[in-house]
Amino acid sequence: MVDKDDAKDLIDRARRWLAEDPDPDTRAELAALLDAEDLDALRDRFAGLLRFGTAGLRGELGAGPSRMNRAVVIRAAAGLAAFLREHGKGDGLVVVGYDARHKSADFARDTAAVLTGAGLRAAVLPRPLPTPVLAFAIGYLGAVAGVEVTASHNPPRDNGYKVYLGFGYPEPGEGAGSQIVAPADAEIAAGIEAVDALAEVPRAEDGWTVLGDEVLEAYVERAVSVLAPGSPRTARVVHTALHGVGTETVTAAFARAGFPAPVPVAEQAAPDPDFPTVAFPNPEEPGAMDLAFATARAHEGTDLIVANDPDADRCAVAVPDASADAGWRMLTGDEVGALLATHLLRRGERGVFAESIVSSTLLGTLARAAGVPHAETLTGFKWISRVPGLRYGYEEALGYCVDPEGVRDKDGITAALLVTEFASVLKEEGRTLSDALDDLAREHGLHATAQLSARVADLSLIPAAMDRLRQSPPVRLAGLTVTSADDLSLPKDGLPPTDGLRYTLGTPSPEGAGSSPEGVRGRVVVRPSGTEPKLKCYLEIVLPAGLPVPEARERATALLAGLKRDVGAAAGV
């Protein structure tokens, strides 16, 4: 039974929120809940303020402080403005970009109004465009910060708010044009919490700039510069934007580069915030690539499929595979990461090659073999982008930074150009991306990765699983001995603390002797997702060089299946 005082307080808070809500849609939603006295729904929306963290804001659209809506965004913009004033940037330029999700244009306009009202200069991109265009625009225009309104590959009901800084903070000179990290997130959050009534936030009626196409043109020109002068440009691509904003920019970049025009997946080429042909607008999700596979089958001579997520900062690749039911096989993010690194190293590129701790150890092997520095960071491009001397960075979740001087973030457009260039080079040699992967396995050992991702309705299940693993760590996984177990919430290898666990796997235990070849290695990293209600387990098996590749892949597949089974059982998911 609901306590009467608690119910009255909840209703009073909802009425106060309703009185200042600037959006007729969320006002109508909230008024209907109040009229129906739906206390459960109200409690869900008023459980607390949507938390601002290093990923900014991300959540379900709707009324109330725990949802994404105009009232929450206005407060977020006010918090950002206060942060910039405190750091002496109160008259600086802030660039605002947005994708094609529900309410994105409204959130971008509200942000510009608040920033202008606070005395900053705001410039809004001309229409829904890829997140990398916003990240590029920060440096190109000399902005002190940037805001991208996007929920990336989240479900249609979500939206988000990502903040970049155009100046080095917390470290001077590092991270310009990069996503925020601590303590900037906490400082912005404090500014948000300091906002009392929404009416106290000055909002200009006009005065900000709506940019033209010159920034997009400059971005496309810069994107094409990642290609080697005079390189082959012959590979034929099928492209899907998954109902996001990537089609226009990808088409323009490929045309500028001189590649054959990508064949679009017609049903998914135009932006649509409802993402009608996919369950989740993420190329990694089952079924998301089915229409791309069908389009490729209908266009003989297609060399590869390239997919972007809805805001086009990620890039997925599929290659022909006669053994696959669809005739095509999705490459893992780690495979694409290794291919891009191999291509850059073959071109003689130097500098630091960096990855997140959940990505394949193959990148470190390639870097050592080429004599270039290698670095590992925590998960997320907010960390990868801050590596000093960065030349190339990637993480397994389809994120690749191939031009850190132009876009210091993951960029699905430049990654698409670079992987298509590599496919073209190989095509001229009578070879394919699959052949290149086989070469890597023969030379450096097969590095096979997979992921166990458990989506939960009850968020309490995630910390419970982490507690279970900390209290009862596994000693064997897939017949391999756990040779070390690292709790990443404690300082380790110079990394900032994070909620994660890492297990290193070595020689088969006596009980599992003969279940895997001599010299097999493995690694498991378990962490809560920072953007979705998921527990993520990143799995890797490494088999020694010299094995026949088909046999190695078969053995690795069996071992990865064993890891999924055993890690899931240990975590209770």
Side-chain angles (χ1 to χ4, degrees):
M1 185 174 179
V2 179
D3 182 271
K4 288 184 179 180
D5 290 339
D6 289 343
K8 182 178 183 303
D9 177 65
L10 177 61
I11 290 170
D12 286 346
R13 283 189 290 136
R15 285 175 175 161
R16 287 195 300 271
W17 186 276
L18 177 63
E20 63 175 15
D21 189 337
D23 190 330
D25 293 335
T26 46
R27 281 204 311 270
E29 174 191 337
L30 193 51
L33 295 176
L34 284 166
D35 289 344
E37 297 185 353
D38 189 339
L39 297 180
D40 287 340
L42 290 171
R43 190 177 295 106
D44 188 40
R45 286 159 175 77
F46 286 82
L49 186 66
L50 192 63
R51 185 181 174 201
F52 191 95
T54 52
L57 296 170
R58 195 174 292 186
E60 185 176 349
L61 291 163
S66 65
R67 294 285 193 270
M68 279 296 297
N69 52 63
R70 290 183 61 197
V72 165
V73 164
I74 289 168
R75 285 180 165 84
L80 173 60
F83 168 84
L84 292 173
R85 287 196 301 270
E86 290 168 5
H87 287 271
K89 311 294 183 182
D91 60 350
L93 174 68
V94 181
V95 190
V96 182
Y98 59 102
D99 67 11
R101 284 178 177 266
H102 293 295
K103 298 290 182 181
S104 285
D106 293 339
F107 296 165
R109 185 170 52 251
D110 283 331
T111 298
V114 171
L115 295 171
T116 304
L120 289 138
R121 294 175 291 124
V124 183
L125 293 180
R127 57 187 174 280
L129 288 170
T131 294
V133 177
L134 179 278
F136 166 80
I138 296 168
Y140 179 72
L141 297 174
V144 299
V147 172
E148 177 70 14
V149 180
T150 181
S152 190
H153 56 277
N154 275 37
R157 64 180 180 272
D158 289 358
N159 212 327
Y161 197 84
K162 185 183 294 188
V163 176
Y164 297 77
L165 294 184
F167 60 96
Y169 182 75
E171 299 88 3
E174 289 295 342
S178 298
Q179 297 176 45
I180 57 170
V181 297
D185 56 339
E187 293 178 27
I188 295 171
I192 295 170
E193 292 170 7
V195 176
D196 188 12
L198 213 61
E200 296 178 359
V201 179
R203 281 180 280 161
E205 294 293 330
D206 52 34
W208 58 87
T209 300
V210 176
L211 297 166
D213 281 345
E214 66 278 0
V215 171
L216 179 60
E217 283 291 314
Y219 167 79
V220 170
E221 187 67 28
R222 176 75 198 199
V224 172
S225 73
V226 306
L227 304 175
S231 64
R233 312 282 168 92
T234 56
R236 297 189 174 276
V237 171
V238 161
H239 174 259
T240 176
L242 288 183
H243 302 292
V245 296
T247 297
E248 174 193 6
T249 309
V250 166
T251 301
F254 271 64
R256 183 77 57 88
F259 287 113
V263 175
V265 177
E267 302 91 332
Q268 299 173 335
D272 188 330
D274 294 318
F275 306 106
T277 68
V278 293
F280 289 93
N282 180 351
E284 294 177 295
E285 293 284 346
M289 295 290 288
D290 288 353
L291 286 172
F293 295 156
T295 303
R297 289 194 298 270
H299 288 78
E300 188 175 349
T302 299
D303 296 299
L304 69 160
I305 297 170
V306 170
N308 293 121
D309 66 337
D311 69 327
D313 64 350
R314 287 174 169 84
C315 177
V317 177
V319 296
D321 186 341
S323 68
D325 292 340
W328 287 79
R329 179 176 78 87
M330 276 283 290
L331 301 183
T332 67
D334 286 315
E335 288 176 317
V336 177
L339 288 170
L340 290 172
T342 297
H343 184 44
L344 290 170
L345 291 169
R346 280 178 47 154
R347 283 178 19 181
E349 300 290 346
R350 290 297 180 263
V352 179
F353 280 53
E355 62 183 322
S356 65
I357 57 172
V358 300
S359 302
S360 173
T361 57
L362 177 56
L363 183 67
T365 300
L366 294 174
R368 285 189 295 274
V372 301
H374 171 254
E376 281 190 321
T377 74
L378 294 184
T379 306
F381 266 84
K382 59 183 176 284
W383 300 112
I384 294 172
S385 67
R386 291 175 177 268
V387 170
L390 180 68
R391 176 57 189 88
Y392 168 69
Y394 99 94
E395 63 180 2
E396 54 74 43
L398 309 181
Y400 314 96
C401 177
V402 303
D403 178 26
E405 296 304 313
V407 175
R408 209 165 181 83
D409 195 16
K410 56 185 176 292
D411 182 346
I413 312 295
T414 51
L417 289 168
L418 200 64
V419 76
T420 305
E421 180 185 54
F422 193 21
S424 298
V425 170
L426 293 167
K427 187 176 183 177
E428 295 297 301
E429 299 172 357
R431 304 170 70 246
T432 66
L433 294 174
S434 295
D435 293 330
L437 288 172
D438 287 350
D439 289 345
L440 292 177
R442 280 187 284 267
E443 183 176 357
H444 301 291
L446 178 68
H447 293 62
T449 59
Q451 188 180 131
L452 172 64
S453 183
R455 183 180 292 271
V456 300
D458 180 358
L459 289 176
S460 68
L461 295 176
I462 294 177
M466 296 297 291
D467 288 344
R468 184 180 299 108
L469 288 169
R470 285 188 169 100
Q471 293 167 12
S472 302
V475 295
R476 287 190 301 275
L477 294 169
L480 302 178
T481 300
V482 177
T483 58
S484 68
D486 300 323
D487 187 341
L488 300 176
S489 66
L490 306 173
K492 182 72 176 179
D493 299 331
L495 297 172
T498 188
D499 187 10
L501 299 164
R502 178 172 58 190
Y503 304 105
T504 302
L505 313 178
T507 307
S509 63
E511 294 86 347
S515 64
S516 58
E518 186 70 23
V520 69
R521 296 182 285 116
R523 190 205 57 191
V524 173
V525 179
V526 183
R527 60 178 282 270
S529 169
T531 57
E532 297 178 273
K534 288 181 176 180
L535 182 71
K536 290 190 170 182
C537 309
Y538 305 85
L539 319 173
E540 180 174 34
I541 290 292
V542 182
L543 278 75
L547 292 173
V549 174
E551 177 187 336
R553 293 196 187 282
E554 184 177 349
R555 288 175 179 264
T557 298
L559 285 166
L560 287 172
L563 280 183
K564 285 186 179 182
R565 179 193 64 237
D566 292 353
V567 171
V573 296

